């Protein structure tokens, strides 16, 4: 079965990328994609936003090469979408196909072939403990603003954050990694015809965390 490349559509997307690049040129922190391989030898301290599976792996790899990092996580625990999600969520593939490099599912655990969300979360927590990632986490900490350092030759980022119960603070970093994932913002709720007259409760799947909410309902 073959397919045909829509050259006109591809060209339009390329033009769009060029327009976006042109709009960013000259702004603070802009790096041209056409430039030669960038030198990151100045990087000694990195900010990672998000303590899900991506952020934790970034922190672990940075530690392995001697780079210090701080993970900012607005929740009270690591795990990202595995910390809490829709009711009865879990892996849709065998656990061996969903594991961190160099960290297989611990043999002392009683894991299902298709682990539940709670089991995946426990596996993630054990990964963070095994590699001492908790030590670099700022939990219950919201990032309020990130901005490039000012100055023609300045490189790096300023991060304004606030830990629950404390006043806002600012720290500077040589590099910034956004690891917030696809589901960190408020869910998009489509407007279905008749929603304005529907008398029941309308939920997004990510807020359906307890099956009892639907008990006895059609």
């Amino acid at each position: 079965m073959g397919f045909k490349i829509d050259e006109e559509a591809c060209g339009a997307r390329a033009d769009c990328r060029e327009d976006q690049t042109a709009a960013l040129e000259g702004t603070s922190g802009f790096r041209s994609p056409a430039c030669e391989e960038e030198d990151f030898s100045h990087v000694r301290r990195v900010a990672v936003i998000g303590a899900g599976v991506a952020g934790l792996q970034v922190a672990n790899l940075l530690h392995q090469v001697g780079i210090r990092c701080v993970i900012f996580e607005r929740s009270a625990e690591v795990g990202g979408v595995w910390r809490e999600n829709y009711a009865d969520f879990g892996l849709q593939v065998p656990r061996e196909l969903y594991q961190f490099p160099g960290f297989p599912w611990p043999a002392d655990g009683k894991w299902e072939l298709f682990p539940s969300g709670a089991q995946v979360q426990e596996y993630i927590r054990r990964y963070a403990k095994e590699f001492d990632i908790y030590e670099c986490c700022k939990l219950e900490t919201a990032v309020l603003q990130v901005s490039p350092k000012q100055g023609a030759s300045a490189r790096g980022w300023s991060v304004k954050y606030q830990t629950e119960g404390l006043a806002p603070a600012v720290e500077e970093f040589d590099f910034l990694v956004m690891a917030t994932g696809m589901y960190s913002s408020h869910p998009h709720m489509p407007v279905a015809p008749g929603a304005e007259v529907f008398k029941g409760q309308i939920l997004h799947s990510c807020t359906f965390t307890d099956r009892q909410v639907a008990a006895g309902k059609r």
Side-chain angles (χ1 to χ4, degrees):
M1 182 176 181
F3 62 91
K4 180 181 179 181
I5 296 176
D6 189 335
E7 295 182 357
E8 183 177 345
C10 290
R13 286 194 291 270
D15 292 340
C16 181
R17 285 194 295 271
E18 291 177 1
D19 292 342
Q20 292 172 338
T21 300
L24 289 171
E25 284 184 314
T27 61
S28 179
F30 173 76
R31 295 289 185 272
S32 171
C35 66
E36 296 180 359
E37 185 174 346
E38 200 165 351
D39 178 17
F40 294 102
S41 60
H42 71 289
V43 177
R44 294 289 182 272
R45 194 163 182 259
V46 175
V48 180
I49 303 180
V53 293
L56 296 176
Q57 290 181 88
V58 167
N60 187 23
L61 292 173
L62 288 173
H63 287 164
Q64 290 181 29
V65 296
I67 296 178
R68 294 177 297 144
C69 71
V70 175
I71 302 179
F72 296 93
E73 170 56 51
R74 65 184 177 185
S75 301
E77 184 57 273
V78 303
V81 295
W82 292 107
R83 185 181 60 257
E84 57 181 355
N85 210 307
Y86 58 87
D88 301 323
F89 74 108
L91 278 185
Q92 298 175 334
V93 296
R95 63 177 183 271
E96 290 84 4
L97 299 181
Y98 192 93
Q99 61 185 26
F100 295 109
F103 189 73
W105 290 74
D108 61 351
K110 295 183 179 180
W111 318 108
E112 299 173 22
L113 177 61
F114 294 84
S116 65
Q119 289 184 343
V120 179
Q121 170 65 0
E122 177 59 22
Y123 167 72
I124 293 171
R125 292 181 69 252
R126 292 183 66 164
Y127 174 83
K129 290 179 180 179
E130 176 71 19
F131 296 101
D132 298 323
I133 303 175
Y134 275 105
E135 294 183 5
C136 68
C137 288
K138 286 186 178 293
L139 301 175
E140 297 185 302
T141 300
V143 173
L144 307 178
Q145 181 181 7
V146 295
S147 54
K149 291 181 182 178
Q150 300 301 309
S153 60
R155 302 181 67 181
W157 297 82
S158 294
V159 177
K160 183 178 181 180
Y161 63 91
Q162 184 172 18
T163 301
E164 187 173 334
L166 300 177
V170 177
E171 290 188 39
E172 293 192 341
F173 297 87
D174 303 313
F175 201 81
L176 173 71
V177 177
M178 294 294 295
T180 52
M182 299 172 59
Y183 310 106
S184 60
S185 60
H186 295 293
H188 172 68
M189 291 289 290
V191 180
E196 68 280 359
V197 296
F198 180 64
K199 302 301 182 181
Q201 186 179 11
I202 300 178
L203 297 173
H204 190 279
S205 61
C206 72
T207 61
F208 181 64
T209 56
D210 183 0
R211 65 167 67 181
Q212 292 303 316
V213 172
K217 299 178 181 179
R218 293 185 297 168

